[in-house]
Amino acid sequence: MAKFRKLLFLRHCKSYHQLINCLLLLIIAFFCYQISINCQHGLLPTKPQVVITSVAKTRPAQLLSKDHILGTQLKSNLSVVTESTPSSFDTLSLPRLMSCQKPALKSIIIAEKTIPLMTVAKCIKFCWSETALYAALFNGSSCYCTNVHGSENLDKDSNCNVACRGDLALRCGGSDQWMFYKIAEADGERGWTTWMSYGRTEKDMNVYRTRYRGCPGDKRGRRSCLVHLHKSGSAVKTNVSPLIIDHFIGCFTNQAWDLPDNRLILAKYSVNTTQDCITSCQTIGSLYSILNVKNCICSNSLGWSRPIDTCVYGFGALVFSTSVLKSDGVTLKFEERLTQRQVAVVAHYRGGSTFASLMFSNYPNSLYVFEPASVFGAVWVGVNNSLARETERSRIFLERIYPLWFKCHAQDLPGIWLTKYPGWGNHNSGFSVFNSCKKAVGSLTGAYKCSAFIEEKCLISPVVAAKTTRMVHSQNVKRFAQIETDIHVLHAFRDPRAQLSSRAQLELVYRKNQLSHLTTSCWELNELSTVFNDDLKDAPNTHVVHYEDLARDVISSAKQIYREMNFTLPGEVIRTLQESTGKGKVKKAEKKYAYGTIKNDPTSLIDSWKKKLNHSMVNIADNSTECRKLFAKYPDKFKPLRDMSS
């Protein structure tokens, strides 16, 4: 009642003008009061005490900074990010903005809530209490919690432009878009791992399961840690053998155990029971007994395995401690990442990127993905300018998607990437186990579970590579190369006239407004040549290869690139390059591939554009200011047609 008594000052507002002024003061007072409420309730709770033996829900260990949350905002324009001191992906903290994308499938929603005075902090706080990994905001007042990074194509950031109802300075999604934040980890360090069920059939799912946390350090490095093991289930309630209760650590990915000459394998047996496996490994004194399909492996390290909950589907290895598990936890040992080179191949559409990427996609035991930028879909509503669209897409892709791929954070990749793109034809390598697992488990949630196999493959592959077109805006590429210095960026150049001719053969759209496409291509290539040949000429992680050089002598070009990377070109790659260019036995499938620049005789393609472009188009190229600049930079590569010998 005291609050209402204070409003009695309205009785002094007798005239019309006095009444208007009083109402304005009342509105201002209400907003000031609401701001004070937000300040009181926007703070996140302090870290609760976690009881390891409890089966009830426990919150992620990572605390969320209110200042960080409220300071995180989406950029509302298509300009390039120009911070002078950008941060490496490895140093980014939580919560972290992940994407703006179309509304996700209802099947991935763990919890949802509508809050009239929504803020980013309130949504994250709610999803944090629901033990979710992601918080998604929608239309200013709706909040969704998920364990998967959405399910639809990524949209431009500026489409997540609806102000939060409780803080107009911040954005809370779009009218038809969800804004995803990563708010917690399931990495076994700051948060619990996924639950890992014991068993080999689907009926065993969640009967007896474990999870752990407390293993600090980068999963890409060698480490040994005493973790807290959380058990769910008992011998009495589940009919699980006491032997399992006393020794079972969890289900882990198992691709590394098939590596040739795996030095971590102390012994391998063919056994019939878990008891036999544990006993056999106890005999030789190893720390772990690993039931890998029908083989029993004894080891003192878990290698590069990742926790996963797919053993009940027949994918993964059941890992046991050879000694009885103690109440204070279990020691886990992991190895340092085996990857020797990470390579990002970038080029314009029809620029020879597929040809150039053969140098790495066929490296033995490599992990390679073809066109991961397809997570954006074909069209963005409200962006008719192709250059503006590709500039914004390249920024988002190079800042948020490529680092996830190269740093082995596959489980954070957009859900649509996990469900659709790794399965493209024969272009990808290293995805066989993931794709088989995904097919067996089914659904987007299954793809998320199985993505741990991609993470393990990323850790054990000597070469991790990717190629993409269209993601080549010069300043975005420059910034990426400067930040991620352990990733080699290889740009494939091709004569812009040859690019345009090749495009026109495939898509009718490129036959329209050819002048615009040609001059834009020349301008973009000029910009990129400045970045690679001037700005980053001394950077050891940037490289250039010309399609024309590849076509004339692919082996010499490959050897040159490998020398620049201080890497050895293996015989398997040499043979593949020879087979693909008519120097060896050419595979029929490669002959029929319509979109490839790989032919029996690639040298015939170098100047084929001269016969396909009309004279007016050639004159445009010869007289274009941007194209002339490009020709001047590479006089031995690109020349005006009038200067070429017939």
Side-chain angles (χ1 to χ4, degrees):
M1 292 299 293
K3 294 180 182 177
F4 291 101
R5 290 193 192 100
K6 294 179 182 179
L7 301 181
L8 292 178
F9 72 90
L10 288 174
R11 69 177 179 231
H12 300 294
C13 304
K14 297 180 180 179
S15 69
Y16 174 77
H17 293 292
Q18 288 177 330
L19 181 60
I20 293 298
N21 290 333
C22 290
L23 289 174
L24 288 174
L25 289 172
L26 182 61
I27 292 171
I28 293 172
F30 171 78
F31 276 105
C32 290
Y33 171 73
Q34 187 58 50
I35 290 173
S36 69
I37 293 297
N38 286 343
C39 291
Q40 294 176 27
H41 297 286
L43 292 173
L44 295 175
T46 57
K47 179 181 177 181
Q49 182 66 36
V50 178
V51 180
I52 301 301
T53 56
S54 172
V55 185
K57 279 196 298 189
T58 53
R59 296 177 179 178
Q62 172 68 25
L63 292 179
L64 306 176
S65 163
K66 182 197 175 191
D67 292 336
H68 183 89
I69 297 170
L70 297 182
T72 303
Q73 297 190 31
L74 284 173
K75 298 175 179 63
S76 59
N77 54 54
L78 296 178
S79 62
V80 179
V81 182
T82 56
E83 287 87 339
S84 57
T85 55
S87 299
S88 169
F89 174 85
D90 291 327
T91 64
L92 297 179
S93 58
L94 297 178
R96 182 168 73 246
L97 175 64
M98 299 298 285
S99 68
C100 175
Q101 57 179 276
K102 294 295 183 180
L105 296 172
K106 292 184 178 180
S107 60
I108 71 170
I109 298 173
I110 296 174
E112 57 184 290
K113 189 174 185 179
T114 299
I115 303 175
L117 294 174
M118 176 67 76
T119 65
V120 176
K122 288 178 180 178
C123 180
I124 291 177
K125 176 182 175 181
F126 168 65
C127 292
W128 187 73
S129 69
E130 296 291 330
T131 67
L133 300 179
Y134 298 92
L137 295 112
F138 170 66
N139 204 28
S141 60
S142 297
C143 176
Y144 299 94
C145 311
T146 74
N147 280 335
V148 182
H149 182 190
S151 61
E152 304 302 323
N153 288 324
L154 272 61
D155 209 333
K156 60 177 181 174
D157 284 354
S158 55
N159 273 345
C160 282
N161 56 5
V162 177
C164 301
R165 302 284 176 84
D167 189 339
L168 299 180
L170 296 178
R171 314 268 170 73
C172 285
S175 59
D176 190 37
Q177 291 81 17
W178 288 14
M179 186 170 70
F180 277 86
Y181 282 88
K182 179 70 182 292
I183 64 171
E185 297 282 5
D187 56 3
E189 177 188 351
R190 294 172 288 184
W192 291 108
T193 64
T194 183
W195 283 108
M196 300 172 283
S197 299
Y198 169 79
R200 284 297 187 188
T201 62
E202 291 186 46
K203 67 180 182 180
D204 297 320
M205 175 68 77
N206 298 332
V207 174
Y208 179 73
R209 56 185 187 168
T210 60
R211 61 179 181 174
Y212 70 84
R213 74 173 181 188
C215 192
D218 191 337
K219 68 184 177 185
R220 292 164 290 171
R222 189 173 187 177
R223 55 199 169 128
S224 175
C225 39
L226 179 66
V227 302
H228 298 290
L229 190 66
H230 184 181
K231 303 178 180 181
S232 174
S234 66
V236 175
K237 294 182 179 180
T238 63
N239 293 322
V240 174
S241 166
L243 177 74
I244 306 303
I245 306 293
D246 291 340
H247 294 270
F248 181 63
I249 296 176
C251 173
F252 289 80
T253 57
N254 59 345
Q255 296 167 107
W257 302 118
D258 294 326
L259 289 176
D261 302 323
N262 189 329
R263 57 182 172 79
L264 301 179
I265 298 178
L266 302 179
K268 184 182 290 187
Y269 302 100
S270 178
V271 299
N272 296 320
T273 66
T274 301
Q275 174 71 70
D276 291 340
C277 184
I278 294 175
T279 302
S280 298
C281 294
Q282 286 174 336
T283 302
I284 68 169
S286 68
L287 294 177
Y288 310 110
S289 56
I290 301 162
L291 207 54
N292 184 31
V293 191
K294 294 183 179 180
N295 291 322
C296 172
I297 294 172
C298 305
S299 179
N300 285 330
S301 173
L302 296 181
W304 306 269
S305 298
R306 304 294 302 145
I308 195 168
D309 195 23
T310 57
C311 283
V312 295
Y313 297 97
F315 293 89
L318 299 169
V319 176
F320 304 87
S321 169
T322 54
S323 58
V324 175
L325 295 171
K326 299 179 181 179
S327 59
D328 60 348
V330 60
T331 298
L332 301 182
K333 294 185 177 182
F334 298 95
E335 300 301 313
E336 188 174 3
R337 184 180 182 182
L338 297 179
T339 303
Q340 300 173 52
R341 295 295 182 274
Q342 302 172 79
V343 184
V345 180
V346 296
H348 285 85
Y349 178 47
R350 307 302 296 163
S353 57
T354 302
F355 197 176
S357 65
L358 280 177
M359 290 186 282
F360 307 100
S361 62
N362 288 279
Y363 196 96
N365 299 315
S366 65
L367 177 63
Y368 167 77
V369 66
F370 177 89
E371 295 292 3
S374 300
V375 295
F376 293 109
V379 179
W380 271 1
V381 176
V383 184
N384 296 321
N385 184 292
S386 61
L387 181 59
R389 179 180 66 247
E390 302 308 339
T391 298
E392 175 69 353
R393 288 188 179 195
S394 73
R395 181 187 68 78
I396 295 173
F397 181 77
L398 294 173
E399 282 185 4
R400 304 179 197 160
I401 307 301
Y402 248 8
L404 293 173
W405 167 253
F406 285 108
K407 306 297 183 181
C408 306
H409 290 271
Q411 292 185 321
D412 287 336
L413 287 166
I416 193 169
W417 193 97
L418 294 174
T419 56
K420 183 176 182 181
Y421 296 107
W424 271 18
N426 298 319
H427 299 296
N428 301 303
S429 59
F431 288 92
S432 58
V433 177
F434 166 73
N435 284 328
S436 297
C437 176
K438 181 173 65 173
K439 183 177 180 180
V441 179
S443 77
L444 175 56
T445 302
Y448 166 76
K449 285 185 176 182
C450 296
S451 63
F453 283 109
I454 301 178
E455 294 193 349
E456 182 195 27
K457 184 65 177 177
C458 181
L459 295 172
I460 64 177
S461 295
V463 168
V464 174
K467 89 95 176 179
T468 185
T469 58
R470 303 177 179 89
M471 299 295 109
V472 288
H473 183 273
S474 58
Q475 294 306 308
N476 292 335
V477 172
K478 174 183 174 180
R479 185 168 182 267
F480 175 78
Q482 289 175 325
I483 297 173
E484 307 297 348
T485 55
D486 57 341
I487 300 173
H488 291 270
V489 182
L490 173 63
H491 186 260
F493 271 78
R494 190 183 187 187
D495 190 313
R497 296 163 295 186
Q499 286 185 27
L500 187 64
S501 174
S502 182
R503 292 172 181 176
Q505 295 177 66
L506 298 174
E507 298 186 25
L508 290 174
V509 66
Y510 286 105
R511 294 178 183 171
K512 300 177 182 179
N513 193 15
Q514 294 187 15
L515 171 62
S516 173
H517 284 291
L518 180 60
T519 54
T520 299
S521 293
C522 287
W523 175 81
E524 290 177 329
L525 288 172
N526 270 312
E527 293 291 301
L528 282 164
S529 67
T530 300
V531 167
F532 280 88
N533 296 328
D534 297 330
D535 300 347
L536 301 175
K537 66 178 180 179
D538 296 325
N541 67 321
T542 58
H543 315 272
V544 174
V545 64
H546 289 269
Y547 170 82
E548 291 75 14
D549 291 339
L550 281 172
R552 289 189 180 98
D553 193 340
V554 65
I555 304 302
S556 294
S557 297
K559 287 180 178 179
Q560 175 61 32
I561 293 299
Y562 268 71
R563 278 195 297 270
E564 292 179 13
M565 295 182 181
N566 194 25
F567 205 33
T568 302
L569 180 65
E572 292 90 337
V573 174
I574 292 176
R575 284 191 292 274
T576 299
L577 294 174
Q578 290 174 333
E579 291 173 357
S580 302
T581 55
K583 306 300 182 182
K585 185 178 179 181
V586 182
K587 299 176 182 178
K588 292 182 178 180
E590 290 168 347
K591 291 182 181 179
K592 295 179 179 179
Y593 177 48
Y595 284 82
T597 55
I598 307 157
K599 304 285 185 179
N600 278 350
D601 181 19
T603 56
S604 65
L605 297 178
I606 296 176
D607 295 328
S608 63
W609 58 269
K610 290 188 290 186
K611 300 177 181 178
K612 297 174 182 176
L613 295 181
N614 58 46
H615 287 290
S616 62
M617 191 64 206
V618 172
N619 287 332
I620 289 172
D622 282 359
N623 296 312
S624 163
T625 301
E626 293 299 334
C627 291
R628 288 205 310 270
K629 286 181 182 178
L630 187 66
F631 299 156
K633 286 183 179 180
Y634 300 98
D636 59 329
K637 307 290 184 186
F638 315 136
K639 295 180 181 179
L641 186 60
R642 59 176 173 268
D643 296 337
M644 289 183 173
S645 58
S646 58

